[in-house]
Amino acid sequence: MSSIAASPGISGTASALRRLYFVRFAFAIVWALVMFTTAANLGPLAVTLLVLYPLFDVAAAIIDARASRTTGSPALLYVNIAVSLIIAIGVAIACTSGIPAVLRVWGAWAVVAGLVQLIVGVTRRKMGGQWPMIISGGISVLAGASFILGASAANPTLINAAGYAIPGGIFFLISAIRLGRAAKGN
């Protein structure tokens, strides 16, 4: 392992991201577990969870953008905020049309958010702890495409959408752990 010569800006950003990533891990796991219980239909709980997930992503991106100002441009995070807000509205509307519509909107969001996560991870490589984010972004793009394709299945369900959160949460946990060195300034 190489040592990271962290500036105070990188150390502070890494520390803030580390806390955020731990929270994102916990949220993703709890969200997925609850979503699994209701993924068979679009009842009120499922609709609430489906709208809540992108709104949580908005809040996380806002925190990330504030924390990242000293280490680079948060422009892509602002894109993510806008896209996730639009998707929250789009998912709410799609829920009135059924699971296939939800999967198409969810899939589009996974593709765009994955691309943003991948690019942000690449730009933060020097900070450390970003390979899990890069991999997660790439997986998100592929998962999004599978949601869009899966919307045409004979009996589409939200099980895959619920499952989508688990690897993402695990990648946030791995990244949070790996950011420990940068957060300490080592």
Side-chain angles (χ1 to χ4, degrees):
M1 293 191 153
S2 63
S3 73
I4 300 168
S7 71
I10 288 176
S11 179
T13 299
S15 181
L17 290 178
R18 187 169 195 250
R19 287 189 303 273
L20 175 62
Y21 289 177
F22 279 127
V23 170
R24 289 194 75 161
F25 161 73
F27 177 83
I29 299 303
V30 170
W31 182 91
L33 293 175
V34 176
M35 189 66 193
F36 275 126
T37 68
T38 187
N41 60 49
L42 277 174
L45 180 58
V47 171
T48 301
L49 290 170
L50 288 165
V51 172
L52 180 63
Y53 200 95
L55 290 177
F56 182 82
D57 195 55
V58 168
I62 289 169
I63 293 167
D64 192 333
R66 287 182 180 161
S68 302
R69 286 187 183 150
T70 60
T71 58
S73 171
L76 281 173
L77 295 170
Y78 295 140
V79 169
N80 192 51
I81 291 166
V83 168
S84 293
L85 277 173
I86 292 166
I87 290 301
I89 295 165
V91 165
I93 294 167
C95 284
T96 65
S97 297
I99 290 175
V102 171
L103 288 173
R104 287 182 187 100
V105 173
W106 194 266
W109 176 52
V111 168
V112 174
L115 286 171
V116 169
Q117 184 178 20
L118 191 150
I119 295 167
V120 168
V122 167
T123 63
R124 291 179 173 168
R125 271 189 342 266
K126 291 181 183 176
M127 183 185 310
Q130 294 305 301
W131 280 107
M133 295 295 90
I134 294 167
I135 294 167
S136 179
I139 290 171
S140 184
V141 170
L142 297 174
S146 77
F147 297 148
I148 294 167
L149 294 172
S152 300
N155 273 330
T157 70
L158 298 170
I159 295 292
N160 289 343
Y164 165 73
I166 293 173
I170 292 169
F171 280 118
F172 275 114
L173 176 63
I174 293 167
S175 190
I177 292 167
R178 294 187 53 106
L179 277 170
R181 293 183 68 206
K184 292 176 185 170
N186 294 330

